[in-house]
Amino acid sequence: MRWGLLGLLVPLTLASTAQTPLPLARNTAPAAQPLPARTSTPAPAAVSTAPMPGSLPLPATFDVSAFERAAEQMTIGQRVPGLAVAVVQNGRVLSAKGYGVTDVSSPQPVNAHTVFRLASLSKAFAGTLTGLLVQDGSLRWDSKVGDYVPDFQLSDPAATRKVTVADLLSHRVGLKSHNAFDRDIEGNAEYYTVAHRLASAPLSCQPGQCYAYQNVAFSLVGDMVFAATGGFYEQAVDRRIFKPLGMNDASMGLAGIESSPSWARPHVRSRNGWVSIAPKPTYYRLAPAAGVNASISDMAQWLAAQTGHRPDVLPAPLLATLHAPIISTPDQMRSGWRRQRVDAASYAIGWRVFDYAGHQVVFHAGAVQGYRGLIALVPERDLGIAVLWNGESSVPSGLLPAMLDRALEVPAGDWLDVSLDDSDLLMADSQQDPGEPAGSAGSKATASPD
């Protein structure tokens, strides 16, 4: 029997507000015009384009056209098959374009409405949906998982009783291993079979006290949503987030991406170059952790909302809660541009929070076989950036820190191997894809770089 169905037997709905305080643990991070729709659905009319209070304008050196040229160069000679980049500032879309092709075997141009798989960028959608339910009073941040998912068990019964929805969404369940049972998921195991194995997983601390990045445990939030609302998680995301924000290309799951009019096929390297493959269904089974598909047009709407320009859908107090650092994650400062730029790192609710050379950046990375993605919010400049691509390559990864350096007026780092302008040739950091954890293989089908 589905855990979510069992949860319906528990008539527990607790009231709260989106501002319910979250306990901080080992926190070292600092405090905290839409594109036209492709379909006939009207674009949202409530986007605010006034700068957020206290935000600064972008410096003159932040040249969007230069970054667009750099992105175009990354697809020349199929260095990467396809790429899409969105830049949103003060709620206005400065750029949202596609580059390269959807499939090297049957080339079609990537455009603003080409759908990519978001992998772990999906986690922010799970956190946001939960926050909306907290705002409604259907859940509380301190709602206990066991009250909604009666079959949920950890190896310690006392720990089982303590785990809250906020613990799930900030990876503070207490499990010893990062990505516990991800190998089972990659081996095509069903989610509910694997989720029951959490009962045998070793613990390293009590819930809420330590961090270990998870996909299976994180996805229990989907069962809590079902138990609290009587509706499926995927439908709730569509109804509460996609539709009101005008994310008209967005979908959930394998059927969602494959039914899109334009979608980017995943690619892996072979001796003869890029090869397109069928998208794997595995991590789609973990919808809260890795189930969302979206175009760069959709991501522009998402960036505008997450930077505070859709208060009708995502009010400021909710965003403040979602983006507030909760638990320290020092492992995020060990590789690639993070090693050089990030002075402190924490996890919030479906987001990471970095001290980026003295500036707060809200961030996440995502990776599954054949897809990569990065997203960042810069409150100081009221700026949002998203980069999506459909090949297992580190080439586009440097775009994000290059843009952050320019936006924050940090001396330019060596992140790119393409020129931003005639006087500034930036060399690639080839040590590590910033969207990958240290030591991970480029072809590994991981949904959750941490």
Side-chain angles (χ1 to χ4, degrees), residues 75-367:
T75 65
I76 294 174
Q78 293 186 352
R79 298 181 65 216
V80 292
L83 172 69
V85 183
V87 182
V88 176
Q89 203 238 355
N90 295 341
R92 297 181 183 274
V93 179
L94 305 185
S95 182
K97 296 181 179 180
Y99 311 88
V101 299
T102 61
D103 185 348
V104 297
S105 300
S106 180
Q108 297 293 325
V110 174
N111 60 46
H113 296 285
T114 297
V115 173
F116 290 76
R117 189 172 180 175
L118 297 192
S120 281
L121 304 193
S122 304
K123 289 181 170 67
F125 290 84
T128 299
L129 175 64
T130 304
L132 290 170
L133 295 178
V134 171
Q135 180 178 273
D136 294 346
S138 299
L139 285 169
R140 296 174 57 96
W141 290 118
D142 59 0
S143 292
K144 300 298 192 292
V145 177
D147 289 338
Y148 291 81
V149 189
D151 276 7
F152 168 64
Q153 290 184 24
L154 297 176
S155 60
D156 176 2
T160 302
R161 293 190 291 271
K162 294 178 181 178
V163 181
T164 68
V165 66
D167 294 332
L168 296 181
L169 294 169
S170 56
H171 306 290
R172 297 177 300 150
V173 175
L175 297 172
K176 184 175 182 179
S177 300
H178 284 257
N179 297 318
F181 304 115
D182 272 17
R183 287 190 178 183
D184 298 78
I185 296 298
E186 290 179 17
N188 216 29
E190 291 293 335
Y191 159 67
Y192 287 98
T193 299
V194 177
H196 280 89
R197 295 189 60 194
L198 292 171
S200 64
L203 299 175
S204 62
C205 71
Q206 287 297 299
Q209 299 302 308
C210 62
Y211 164 86
Y213 192 88
Q214 304 296 327
N215 283 305
V216 175
F218 186 99
S219 296
L220 290 167
V221 70
D223 300 280
M224 295 189 70
V225 168
F226 186 87
T229 69
F232 290 106
Y233 173 83
E234 295 87 345
Q235 295 169 342
V237 171
D238 183 69
R239 182 172 59 88
R240 299 298 301 271
I241 298 176
F242 294 165
K243 283 186 168 58
L245 292 183
M247 298 178 65
N248 297 315
D249 305 314
S251 64
M252 300 286 289
L254 182 60
I257 196 170
E258 290 184 336
S259 65
S260 300
S262 173
W263 61 282
R265 273 65 173 176
H267 291 76
V268 296
R269 287 283 192 184
S270 73
R271 291 182 179 180
N272 298 317
W274 289 111
V275 176
S276 63
I277 59 173
K280 294 182 71 171
T282 52
Y283 282 104
Y284 275 133
R285 297 185 180 123
L286 309 181
V292 177
N293 313 300
S295 68
I296 208 65
S297 171
D298 295 325
M299 296 305 286
Q301 304 287 1
W302 181 237
L303 291 169
Q306 287 289 329
T307 51
H309 294 275
R310 288 302 308 274
D312 58 315
V313 182
L314 305 182
L318 170 58
L319 295 176
T321 299
L322 298 177
H323 301 161
I326 296 174
I327 187 78
S328 180
T329 58
D331 61 310
Q332 290 299 299
M333 301 182 284
R334 296 173 184 167
S335 63
W337 56 267
R338 304 185 204 191
R339 181 177 61 249
Q340 299 185 46
R341 285 287 186 261
V342 177
D343 299 320
S346 296
Y347 208 92
I349 297 291
W351 289 97
R352 299 189 183 281
V353 184
F354 291 162
D355 177 335
Y356 185 97
H359 307 269
Q360 187 189 57
V361 172
V362 181
F363 167 87
H364 219 288

Side-chain angles (χ1 to χ4, degrees), residues 360-386:
Q360 187 189 57
V361 172
V362 181
F363 167 87
H364 219 288
V368 290
Q369 187 180 45
Y371 296 97
R372 298 289 185 268
L374 301 171
I375 189 170
L377 314 174
V378 186
E380 178 182 326
R381 304 284 174 164
D382 195 3
L383 176 69
I385 300 167

Side-chain angles (χ1 to χ4, degrees), residues 57-67 381 402-410 420-421 424:
L58 289 171
T61 54
F62 190 90
D63 184 351
V64 174
S65 63
F67 292 116
R381 304 284 174 164
M403 285 191 273
L404 293 177
D405 285 356
R406 289 291 177 93
L408 295 169
E409 300 181 277
V410 174
L420 289 179
D421 56 47
D424 183 18

